[in-house]
Amino acid sequence: MANDIILGVNIDHVATLRQVRRADYPEVLMAAELAEQAGAGVITVHLREDRRHIQDSDVREIRESIGIPLNLEMAVTDEMLAIAADVRPQHCCLVPERREELTTEGGLDVTGNLARLRDAVGQLHNHGCQVSLFVDPDPEQLDAAADTGAKVVELHTGAYANASGEAMINELARLRDAAIHAEKLGLAVHAGHGLNVQNVGPVAKLPQIVEMNIGHWLVARAVFVGLEHAIKEMLGVMRDARK
Ligand code: PXP
């Protein structure tokens, strides 16, 4: 379907629930398999430096077991680049990371780290990974992202998701302009962060956006209706927006 949009299901918070008790359940691999069955196009995990949720073994097991691409979100560190070189996820999304943050708070400063990012993108491309850069909807960052050699950007939708009223309309306009700008630069456009069934529609409607990565809402909703149902609800809203 030319107009279709891919849902990348981020299962970090299945691991959060497991790690909070250092238990061996809920099984992250089972979540990945259920997500695949429910229509996810990609499984996304963020292997954080502090290993607060996803563990190295999760990344390896998912890579070996699922039939859809694994998207590894990672900070640009030598440790993570070595893991990516070893595990060879089909997709890598480079993100900024601060230990004390609750979640990824802003996009990458691509303009300020151009040489390092060029090198990281080059290394990952050599390992056969499709690389995306997680950036705020800012034309300068997008220009720099194209300069790194990356072929994909993921627009940070957090500011949009956290806003309301007029501010939300303005944030949506920033996302729309950024998506248009990125497409002109020849970049494929993904989006994610803070999205739920209430706010996803206007972003999913932007025709340049080909993939959305969504996690926290899906796992929270799954507590009440199950993961497969939550994913199907989200996919339904995304596809309706696209019609
Ligand atoms: N995309 C990126 C790059 C992220 O870091 C995250 C959060 O891990 C998400 C998407 C998903 O955000 P949320 O869990 O709020 O749906």
Side-chain angles (χ1 to χ4, degrees), residues 12 32 41-42 55 65 88 147 189:
D12 290 351
V42 170
Q55 306 297 304
S65 305
R88 311 254 170 152
D147 255 10
V189 189

PDB file of all heavy atoms in Angstrom, residues 12 32 41-42 55 65 88 147 189:
ATOM      1  N   ASP A  12      10.546  -1.100  25.216  1.00  0.00           N
ATOM      2  CA  ASP A  12      11.406  -0.811  26.375  1.00  0.00           C
ATOM      3  C   ASP A  12      10.669  -1.013  27.697  1.00  0.00           C
ATOM      4  O   ASP A  12      11.245  -1.505  28.677  1.00  0.00           O
ATOM      5  CB  ASP A  12      11.859   0.659  26.369  1.00  0.00           C
ATOM      6  CG  ASP A  12      12.845   0.972  25.265  1.00  0.00           C
ATOM      7  OD1 ASP A  12      13.318   0.032  24.603  1.00  0.00           O
ATOM      8  OD2 ASP A  12      13.125   2.170  25.063  1.00  0.00           O
ATOM      9  N   ALA A  32       7.901  -8.853  21.676  1.00  0.00           N
ATOM     10  CA  ALA A  32       8.326  -8.589  20.290  1.00  0.00           C
ATOM     11  C   ALA A  32       7.544  -9.493  19.334  1.00  0.00           C
ATOM     12  O   ALA A  32       7.078  -9.048  18.274  1.00  0.00           O
ATOM     13  CB  ALA A  32       9.827  -8.832  20.152  1.00  0.00           C
ATOM     14  N   GLY A  41       5.618  -3.140  12.144  1.00  0.00           N
ATOM     15  CA  GLY A  41       6.524  -3.300  10.998  1.00  0.00           C
ATOM     16  C   GLY A  41       7.961  -3.366  11.442  1.00  0.00           C
ATOM     17  O   GLY A  41       8.844  -3.808  10.683  1.00  0.00           O
ATOM     18  N   VAL A  42       8.215  -2.913  12.656  1.00  0.00           N
ATOM     19  CA  VAL A  42       9.574  -2.818  13.201  1.00  0.00           C
ATOM     20  C   VAL A  42       9.448  -3.015  14.710  1.00  0.00           C
ATOM     21  O   VAL A  42       8.438  -2.619  15.306  1.00  0.00           O
ATOM     22  CB  VAL A  42      10.159  -1.399  12.917  1.00  0.00           C
ATOM     23  CG1 VAL A  42      11.450  -1.152  13.664  1.00  0.00           C
ATOM     24  CG2 VAL A  42      10.356  -1.163  11.425  1.00  0.00           C
ATOM     25  N   GLN A  55      18.146  -5.080  28.171  1.00  0.00           N
ATOM     26  CA  GLN A  55      19.469  -5.636  28.451  1.00  0.00           C
ATOM     27  C   GLN A  55      20.112  -6.111  27.137  1.00  0.00           C
ATOM     28  O   GLN A  55      19.401  -6.357  26.153  1.00  0.00           O
ATOM     29  CB  GLN A  55      19.345  -6.818  29.424  1.00  0.00           C
ATOM     30  CG  GLN A  55      18.594  -6.487  30.705  1.00  0.00           C
ATOM     31  CD  GLN A  55      19.304  -5.432  31.541  1.00  0.00           C
ATOM     32  OE1 GLN A  55      20.465  -5.597  31.897  1.00  0.00           O
ATOM     33  NE2 GLN A  55      18.600  -4.334  31.845  1.00  0.00           N
ATOM     34  N   SER A  65      15.349 -13.698  16.592  1.00  0.00           N
ATOM     35  CA  SER A  65      14.076 -14.435  16.597  1.00  0.00           C
ATOM     36  C   SER A  65      12.945 -13.832  15.782  1.00  0.00           C
ATOM     37  O   SER A  65      11.975 -14.537  15.497  1.00  0.00           O
ATOM     38  CB  SER A  65      13.570 -14.588  18.035  1.00  0.00           C
ATOM     39  OG  SER A  65      14.550 -15.190  18.817  1.00  0.00           O
ATOM     40  N   ARG A  88      24.389  -6.385  14.657  1.00  0.00           N
ATOM     41  CA  ARG A  88      23.909  -6.020  13.317  1.00  0.00           C
ATOM     42  C   ARG A  88      22.392  -5.876  13.223  1.00  0.00           C
ATOM     43  O   ARG A  88      21.737  -6.597  12.448  1.00  0.00           O
ATOM     44  CB  ARG A  88      24.370  -7.045  12.264  1.00  0.00           C
ATOM     45  CG  ARG A  88      25.835  -7.349  12.339  1.00  0.00           C
ATOM     46  CD  ARG A  88      26.552  -6.707  11.214  1.00  0.00           C
ATOM     47  NE  ARG A  88      27.997  -6.812  11.436  1.00  0.00           N
ATOM     48  CZ  ARG A  88      28.890  -6.851  10.488  1.00  0.00           C
ATOM     49  NH1 ARG A  88      28.520  -6.806   9.234  1.00  0.00           N
ATOM     50  NH2 ARG A  88      30.154  -6.904  10.769  1.00  0.00           N
ATOM     51  N   ASP A 147      24.033  15.968   5.921  1.00  0.00           N
ATOM     52  CA  ASP A 147      25.493  16.052   5.778  1.00  0.00           C
ATOM     53  C   ASP A 147      26.241  14.873   6.386  1.00  0.00           C
ATOM     54  O   ASP A 147      27.387  14.615   6.030  1.00  0.00           O
ATOM     55  CB  ASP A 147      25.984  17.296   6.541  1.00  0.00           C
ATOM     56  CG  ASP A 147      26.355  18.395   5.604  1.00  0.00           C
ATOM     57  OD1 ASP A 147      26.060  18.258   4.417  1.00  0.00           O
ATOM     58  OD2 ASP A 147      26.956  19.389   6.089  1.00  0.00           O
ATOM     59  N   VAL A 189      11.528  10.080   6.342  1.00  0.00           N
ATOM     60  CA  VAL A 189      11.118  10.733   7.584  1.00  0.00           C
ATOM     61  C   VAL A 189      10.335   9.781   8.484  1.00  0.00           C
ATOM     62  O   VAL A 189       9.299   9.239   8.085  1.00  0.00           O
ATOM     63  CB  VAL A 189      10.258  11.992   7.299  1.00  0.00           C
ATOM     64  CG1 VAL A 189      10.038  12.771   8.595  1.00  0.00           C
ATOM     65  CG2 VAL A 189      10.898  12.881   6.243  1.00  0.00           C
TER      66      VAL A 189
END
